[in-house]
Structure formats: C-alpha cells, structure tokens
Amino acid sequence: MPYLNLDVDYFEHPKTRRLVGLLGSGAEIYPQKLWVYCAKFHCETGILINYKREDIEAICGWSGEPGMLYGALLEVGFLDLYEALPEARRKRYQKRAGSATRSRFCA
C-alpha cells in the first residue's frame, strides 16, 4: 500500500501555522491533499506542469475565494514556482513521498 511520510512536527511547523493563520482552522489539510495528488499522478518528481491556479485549488478541495489558497500556499512556501527542479529538491520530494515513488501505484 502506498504511503506518504509526514513529519511529526508538521502541525506545529511555522509554514503550517502561517497557512492556518492566513486561511483559518482546517487549512493544514490542503498541503497534504496536494502531496497525495502528487504521489498518485506525479510520483517521480512532484512537479505539477501546466497546472493553473484553479487546478491546484480544485485538487485541494478549496471552496473559498478563488486564488486565495494558491496565494497562501506560495506565500508560506508549500508551493513553489520552478522552471526546472534541482536534483536536491527531487531527492527531498522522493524522501517525503515514501512508498509512492517506489510503488506500482505510480504508472
């Protein structure tokens, strides 16, 4: 069964606290939903190529003001805009992704 690694300090991490401060209680789930999506459909790199703001928000299940979640994820650092993914970042993603990068779950 595929799984993701979640840091035991995730809920107290400054990024998580800032996200909750910007969006309110329950916002801590949105990065996790995005990570699950990446593990399912982009398990090798975690890169979402050609995804629009509204795509990201739909993946996360956001029903608030359009653009607000996307902007908050960028602002606190849960989402980055890159033209290329450095190898170090790829390795960090693969470590976080757990078994999803080593599973048949990734087609």
Side-chain angles (χ1 to χ4, degrees):
M1 174 188 301
Y3 62 88
L4 295 174
N5 296 326
L6 183 66
D7 190 309
V8 296
D9 292 321
Y10 170 76
F11 295 100
E12 288 78 34
H13 192 280
K15 286 183 184 180
T16 307
R17 288 181 180 219
R18 286 194 305 267
L19 187 66
V20 170
L22 290 169
L23 301 175
S25 180
E28 63 276 0
I29 195 70
Y30 296 123
Q32 294 175 45
K33 287 184 173 189
L34 193 56
W35 297 335
V36 167
Y37 182 88
C38 287
K40 287 173 77 172
F41 301 107
H42 302 283
C43 62
E44 291 300 318
T45 63
I47 300 174
L48 300 173
I49 297 173
N50 296 325
Y51 281 74
K52 297 176 182 172
R53 178 199 75 217
E54 50 272 8
D55 298 330
I56 301 294
E57 292 182 337
I59 289 166
C60 294
W62 176 249
S63 59
E65 181 182 328
M68 194 169 180
L69 173 62
Y70 183 81
L73 290 171
L74 283 171
E75 183 177 328
V76 302
F78 277 126
L79 188 63
D80 296 315
L81 299 176
Y82 285 103
E83 290 195 20
L85 186 69
E87 187 60 27
R89 187 161 175 80
R90 177 196 307 263
K91 288 178 183 175
R92 189 170 68 229
Y93 167 78
Q94 288 175 337
K95 182 178 178 184
R96 176 179 289 141
S99 74
T101 60
R102 298 181 297 275
S103 154
R104 292 177 193 236
F105 194 61
C106 177

